[in-house]
Amino acid sequence: MAAPYKLNDDSVVVIIGSGAGGGMLGNELAQKVIDVVILEAGARHEYDEFINDEWASFSQLAWTDKRMTSGD
């Protein structure tokens, strides 16, 4: 699927991460009719694939890959 925005389109806001902060910010901007793209790690899930159970959906939606960090 091709992105509907050009890389130099300054009319769209790109948010990295859809957690509590990113999701809320995206919602607030969208309600003000500002185009928003939210980038998230992991696979894409379609609406009909979502598990409607908080604990069961954790394994489907949580980023469970090994995380690495470096530096002091």
Side-chain angles (χ1 to χ4, degrees), residues 8-49:
N8 61 352
D9 185 345
D10 61 359
S11 69
V12 61
V13 174
V14 177
I15 300 171
I16 309 300
S18 63
M24 184 178 293
L25 177 60
N27 177 57
E28 292 294 320
L29 292 172
Q31 287 189 45
K32 295 179 180 357
V33 195
I34 297 171
D35 287 348
V36 178
V37 173
I38 300 178
L39 302 177
E40 184 60 70
R44 178 181 176 87
H45 297 282
E46 298 300 331
Y47 183 79
D48 61 344
E49 298 172 327

Side-chain angles (χ1 to χ4, degrees), residues 43-70:
R44 178 181 176 87
H45 297 282
E46 298 300 331
Y47 183 79
D48 61 344
E49 298 172 327
F50 283 103
I51 300 169
N52 191 20
D53 178 274
E54 181 179 0
W55 289 109
S57 68
F58 179 81
S59 63
Q60 178 188 37
L61 301 176
W63 184 22
T64 57
D65 295 348
K66 183 177 180 180
R67 300 176 190 196
M68 313 239 340
T69 186
S70 62

